[in-house]
Amino acid sequence: MASDTKTKTGSVILMSAGQEDDVTVVRLDRASESKIGDSPECHVTEGPFKGIVVKQTVDEKGRLPPVGNPNVRTWFFAHTRDKNTDLESATYSRERREICFWFRRKASKPDQILQATKYFKSLIEPEHFPKDYVSFIKKSMLLMQEFPLMRRVQVSVRPEPDTEGGHDGLSLRPEAEDEEPPIENFITVLTPAVYDYQYLPEVPVSRKNHVTFRIMASAEAHVALSHVYGDTDRRTYEIVLGGWNNTKSAIRYGGRGPIEVEANTPGLLNADDFQAFWITWSDDGGSLEVGRGMTRGLNCVLRWPKIPPAKQHSINLMSVSTGPGSPGRWEFIEYLSAVTKVSETKASKRAKVRRGVVWYAKKTKMLENLEAAFPSCINTQQLLSLSSVRLTDMLEAVVFLKDLLKLGLALEVARGVWLRSPTNHLDTAHEIRMVSDMPRLIGREAPTVALVTVLYCEKQAMDTMMEDKISYVVHSVDSTGTSKSTVYTVGRIGDHRVVAMKLRKIAIQASTKASHAKAIDQLIGIFDQLQHVLIVTTGGAVPNYTDYGKHLRRGDVAVSVPRTPDGPMYVHCSDVEMGDQAFFSTSVWNAADDSIAKVARQLYDVSVSRGGHETLRSWEKYSESGQEQLRRIDDRFHRPPGKTDRLYALLEGERDPVLVRHPVPPPEKRYAYRENTPNVRLGPIGCGRAVARIDALRMEFASCHGIVAYDRGLHHVVDAVMNSRVSSCGLVLGICDYLDGTKTRTWQPYAAVCAASFAKSLVLGLPAFGRRRGYYQ
């Protein structure tokens, strides 16, 4: 008996063929080899049919014996031709091929759907699709060996009239008494009749080089293949199908940007019927093609074969839109996870789903609490209490923490004591050293610049700006058995040795504020060669509703620079006395060494010059590079959509804030305007809950002191630095809201990258090793 029909379990696959009316039926059964023996019904074929065991079980009319209903049924349409005719003169016939599956009793319904899906996808994969009946049946038999839960597969071939429509892909239907509707293999998206892109996280493209879809619209179907989330204006290939009143199609570089390729395509789209399209691109970003139908490479409509290197980029995200007057319905052909009914009551299903949702939220909260506590470690009980996890769920929580450990997202510094990892599993060059005491670094290994952050996303962003990184996790246990830890990440930026440190997340409690001052004192004491301290964090802008030159938006950067030589760079309001006028109790600080302010002014001059507009400014390059690295571990670091940056103003006579437009530069300064890129503003930074959260007081206090932005209350940190031996200090704020940086998290990660990239440019402009260095890009 042919060996290639034997399965790993000692069974064989038997083929039985029969005919019923105009339907050809081929049945594949799994049977024990010992039961076959020398049965006269079984024949091992030779020649071109070698490897197939044929079982003669048909009746006098050539029909196979009846069997019970299958567990799963699927079908597809095939177009065939006579192999002896050439392609040009060939006549094609259409046939419906139905595949039915029977499974062993131990196979659950979800397993049946998943197994059938995998079998079907392997059988019809385009690159290896069998070109004749014998190969098709033989492949069907060989595939059964990979699915031991299948006990029978039946293929039925029925000639069909060649009509339009029909089934375009896989549909799996359980054939049980609790029958469900078919599970389709496409994702449906509805777009309104307005040019407004919808991001499609359900259709991943970052690790692919093609996408297929169907669209029903009267005109103006737009597909944006972007490099960065939320930015469809730059580093985006925009494909327009049926544009210009459904007469032309084009490929643009950037949303509504210059046309690179165009073609006349009258009537390409149809408002009443789906039209299929495919898009392919090269892995290196050097070419792009668009065509009609579901078969890639055929009926090409648009081809951009040689994309200029300056316009090449990797494709990480996809968005779709339709134009004015033309709503659209999209169907993306993607295989979804098969889901079907199991023997559960509706109540138990709901309870299971509810528990899954709750646990997802708790797991997210546990990770957030680890990040908030960093660089301090936290024991399991404290973590569960902060995350609202009951002690009865301890086992499940620890399993999750162990999973974080395997993923490189957490460290277990002692038994049951956890610390958020200072790096991630993808950054293999970032070394972690566990120490009981911080070793003293001397000579050229000693850091001269300290970079202080507050949020974990700020620490992640700052780390991407450094090279040759080593994180020292200093862990100790005091006399009461309490674990304590801190983390210092030492690395290099240009010629500078730097050390990055994250503070515990800001809280209102005085003990936390005191711990920040103590952490700064320890930092400056351990690294005795420090000359500069940069506080790199996120904050809230003070908007200017009429003057673009003084306006700050989300994603911009504010740097603490005095307005006048003897003015403050940082102002804190501790109290407000209300009367005819508001009286502010303030404290002010300024750095004795103005090195950071001088470099900041140099960078600002570059940003507003015509020459600085023509090329990417240094911090823009660092920002894009940082986002590219961080995107691999967390997609929150992409720039959010511009439409989420809404500006409100409290107008005279109005009780509630009113949505207003952001100011734009006058025509003579339009060259300095860069939308969706971080712009820079210089001025004092303010803080104080007494004023930061009340719009009228906030704006009045900012006007009195020339404040450009507010932080979340870092005056204790600034005071600790100013009262130390370090005489050079500055703050770099990435703008994430119009309060104090705590109103929303949406913009925090991206704003953190912008602040970190500008901080890198600042460090590169500082004097190194005693030599004065001018700013360089």
Side-chain angles (χ1 to χ4, degrees), residues 263-298:
N264 293 321
T265 56
L268 184 68
L269 299 181
N270 191 321
D272 301 316
D273 193 17
F274 282 103
Q275 303 299 314
F277 297 91
W278 53 265
I279 304 172
T280 63
W281 55 90
S282 58
D283 293 333
D284 60 1
S287 64
L288 181 68
E289 292 185 356
V290 184
R292 299 185 63 173
M294 301 301 292
T295 304
R296 301 193 304 272
L298 296 181

Side-chain angles (χ1 to χ4, degrees), residues 167-455:
H167 189 71
D168 287 329
L170 170 63
S171 176
L172 295 174
R173 182 189 297 271
E175 295 291 341
E177 53 190 31
D178 56 342
E179 184 175 336
E180 293 183 341
I183 300 176
E184 298 292 349
N185 69 323
F186 53 74
I187 299 164
T188 301
V189 180
L190 302 177
T191 52
V194 60
Y195 182 76
D196 186 14
Y197 275 110
Q198 294 187 27
Y199 166 52
L200 303 181
E202 303 89 349
V203 186
V205 294
S206 59
R207 294 177 177 85
K208 297 169 61 177
N209 61 4
H210 68 276
V211 65
T212 56
F213 61 94
R214 303 194 304 172
I215 170 67
M216 183 166 59
S218 60
E220 296 284 345
H222 300 260
V223 179
L225 303 174
S226 304
H227 179 68
V228 177
Y229 171 70
D231 186 2
T232 56
D233 296 327
R234 298 188 315 145
R235 307 194 75 177
T236 292
Y237 304 131
E238 184 182 58
I239 298 162
V240 183
L241 298 171
W244 296 271
N245 200 23
N246 204 16
T247 61
K248 291 197 307 182
S249 298
I251 299 176
R252 290 170 165 158
Y253 182 69
R256 290 184 172 173
I259 294 176
E260 304 293 344
V261 179
E262 62 179 344
N264 293 321
T265 56
L268 184 68
L269 299 181
N270 191 321
D272 301 316
D273 193 17
F274 282 103
Q275 303 299 314
F277 297 91
W278 53 265
I279 304 172
T280 63
W281 55 90
S282 58
D283 293 333
D284 60 1
S287 64
L288 181 68
E289 292 185 356
V290 184
R292 299 185 63 173
M294 301 301 292
T295 304
R296 301 193 304 272
L298 296 181
N299 301 320
C300 184
V301 175
L302 297 168
R303 180 180 288 111
W304 194 2
K306 294 182 180 179
I307 301 176
K311 297 182 178 181
Q312 294 181 12
H313 63 78
S314 59
I315 294 174
N316 302 315
L317 309 134
M318 183 170 67
S319 308
V320 295
S321 173
T322 40
S326 176
R329 181 185 179 96
W330 305 72
E331 292 180 349
F332 288 86
I333 312 303
E334 290 287 336
Y335 288 99
L336 302 177
S337 298
V339 180
T340 187
K341 293 182 179 179
V342 294
S343 55
E344 294 180 285
T345 64
K346 291 183 178 180
S348 64
K349 285 183 179 180
R350 286 195 293 267
K352 186 176 181 180
V353 171
R354 190 183 306 113
R355 178 174 174 79
V357 172
V358 170
W359 256 107
Y360 177 80
K362 290 181 178 180
K363 289 177 181 179
T364 302
K365 189 65 176 177
M366 290 170 67
L367 185 59
E368 289 177 351
N369 285 325
L370 284 174
E371 294 179 349
F374 184 91
S376 298
C377 52
I378 185 170
N379 64 44
T380 304
Q381 187 169 346
Q382 291 171 328
L383 182 59
L384 298 190
S385 176
L386 289 172
S387 307
S388 301
V389 177
R390 295 175 297 181
L391 293 180
T392 53
D393 294 326
M394 174 80 73
L395 178 60
E396 193 166 359
V398 172
V399 169
F400 170 67
L401 290 170
K402 292 293 185 181
D403 289 340
L404 293 181
L405 191 65
K406 294 177 182 178
L407 293 172
L409 297 176
L411 300 175
E412 193 173 10
V413 295
R415 187 176 180 84
V417 180
W418 306 92
L419 175 71
R420 178 65 162 96
S421 176
T423 182
N424 62 82
H425 66 286
L426 296 177
D427 192 359
T428 56
H430 189 161
E431 183 182 352
I432 299 177
R433 295 182 183 178
M434 301 288 296
V435 296
S436 56
D437 294 292
M438 181 65 200
R440 187 167 183 266
L441 304 177
I442 59 176
R444 289 183 174 269
E445 296 300 314
T448 58
V449 180
L451 304 164
V452 180
T453 59
V454 178
L455 302 179

Side-chain angles (χ1 to χ4, degrees), residues 542 571 573-586 650 686-707 710 738-739:
V542 176
V571 186
C573 178
S574 57
D575 192 21
V576 181
E577 293 184 12
M578 300 300 297
D580 294 338
Q581 292 183 337
F583 178 78
F584 303 102
S585 299
T586 61
L650 186 62
C687 77
R689 292 180 64 87
V691 294
R693 293 179 174 270
I694 303 175
D695 286 341
L697 293 177
R698 187 174 185 275
M699 297 302 291
E700 184 178 349
F701 186 67
S703 177
C704 291
H705 297 277
I707 293 171
Y710 287 86
Y738 298 102
L739 193 67

